[in-house]
Amino acid sequence: MIMQILPTITTTPGAWRDRVKEAGKLKLKEVAIFLTCLNRTERKELYRLLEKTSIKSIPFIHLRDDVTMGEMDYLVKNYQTKVFNTHTVREYPIPAEWGKYRNFIYIENTYQPLDEDEIKKFAGVCVDLSHLENDRLLNQEKYQHDVKIIEKHKVGCSHISVVKDAPIKDENNYLRYTAHFLEKVKEFDYLKKYPLKYFGDFSALELENTIKEQLKAKEHISALLKEKRGK
């Protein structure tokens, strides 16, 4: 399967309605969606808004722990969702009812080390490439641990964010190189370090930028990956 790079409605607080509206104006047929910051009432609104757009396919969705089986059934039936990702159970509960889609759910490398036993219960790994690069720069022990596990398991999907030239403080006052707002395309240069396997079949742009800016970013990343394939 040829890897798809998807512009994303990231549902970061405050901007997600604008992103849905913009996707509609651009007449996009396909996007990824991160449900991470939306409660149930907001998700119901999101689904209603999506139905008024040209979007026909949402292949890749980032779940949150209160997403119901009914929602997952709705998304698969109406938008042909192929893969889901979630955080480790050590960060957020994984509802037992999600078992129906166990073979479509990938565990993301987050701030907790990947747990191989947990990954074996699901489809494989969702590689957040900027998290991985952040660990390479700041936490070599965790980086080496996660790479060993990624190499052994199926990578079905990935998140692509940016990596800054210098670390910045996040909302918890931790230093991070990873960020969700693109300022210059060279912030994607770190992607050259990683094998194509780490991208999986679906890569979601985890960016707070406008959809139009994301589409430009997609062109740049596609060219970068094409160059890697040619080597």
Side-chain angles (χ1 to χ4, degrees):
M1 180 174 179
I2 298 174
M3 184 188 74
Q4 291 180 255
I5 301 173
L6 300 164
T8 303
I9 298 169
T10 60
T11 67
T12 48
W16 61 273
R17 293 178 184 86
D18 292 337
R19 297 294 170 269
V20 176
K21 187 182 296 185
E22 185 185 6
K25 285 183 177 178
L26 292 171
K27 300 190 183 305
L28 293 188
K29 301 292 186 184
E30 191 168 60
V31 296
I33 289 184
F34 284 44
L35 299 176
T36 328
C37 295
L38 297 188
N39 61 36
R40 291 187 182 185
T41 299
E42 291 169 321
R43 293 199 303 273
K44 287 180 180 179
E45 180 184 355
L46 171 67
Y47 303 148
R48 288 196 302 271
L49 292 174
L50 287 171
E51 289 175 359
K52 298 175 183 178
T53 71
S54 55
I55 294 168
K56 302 299 181 187
S57 174
I58 309 174
F60 181 13
I61 292 176
H62 188 323
L63 297 168
R64 61 177 264 162
D65 56 21
D66 64 348
V67 171
T68 67
M69 182 57 59
E71 288 177 79
M72 295 171 79
D73 288 341
Y74 164 83
L75 292 162
V76 170
K77 179 180 178 181
N78 291 281
Y79 294 103
Q80 300 79 54
T81 303
K82 301 292 192 297
V83 296
F84 298 98
N85 92 272
T86 190
H87 292 190
T88 172
V89 70
R90 286 167 291 159
E91 290 186 47
Y92 300 103
I94 296 178
E97 66 172 340
W98 288 5
K100 175 181 176 180
Y101 289 108
R102 190 173 297 278
N103 293 329
F104 301 89
I105 296 174
Y106 294 82
I107 304 298
E108 179 186 348
N109 59 307
T110 56
Y111 303 123
Q112 294 281 347
L114 288 171
D115 183 329
E116 190 162 21
D117 290 337
E118 182 179 19
I119 290 167
K120 287 177 181 177
K121 297 175 183 176
F122 294 92
V125 182
C126 169
V127 177
D128 187 307
L129 290 145
S130 71
H131 288 176
L132 194 61
E133 178 67 2
N134 188 76
D135 287 336
R136 188 188 72 81
L137 294 166
L138 295 175
N139 188 343
Q140 267 289 317
E141 183 178 355
K142 180 177 181 296
Y143 171 77
Q144 295 294 341
H145 168 88
D146 284 357
V147 164
K148 286 180 182 177
I149 292 179
I150 291 167
E151 288 290 337
K152 292 168 62 177
H153 293 276
K154 179 181 178 181
V155 177
C157 49
S158 61
H159 298 170
I160 298 177
S161 301
V162 300
V163 169
K164 300 296 183 179
D165 294 331
I168 54 178
K169 285 187 178 181
D170 67 12
E171 64 275 9
N172 297 312
N173 216 31
Y174 289 110
L175 286 176
R176 305 287 184 201
Y177 281 89
T178 179
H180 292 153
F181 189 82
L182 170 68
E183 295 178 293
K184 46 194 175 183
V185 293
K186 70 185 294 286
E187 293 170 339
F188 291 127
D189 284 356
Y190 76 97
L191 296 172
K192 298 175 186 177
K193 296 184 176 75
Y194 295 102
L196 293 172
K197 172 199 168 178
Y198 285 24
F199 293 79
D201 293 334
F202 301 96
S203 289
L205 298 178
E206 190 175 0
L207 298 173
E208 295 171 0
N209 299 72
T210 65
I211 299 291
K212 196 170 183 179
E213 290 168 337
Q214 289 185 46
L215 292 173
K216 289 181 179 178
K218 174 182 173 178
E219 290 180 9
H220 177 79
I221 295 166
S222 296
L224 185 154
L225 297 182
K226 184 177 180 181
E227 183 180 335
K228 281 179 66 69
R229 290 188 189 97
K231 290 183 178 180

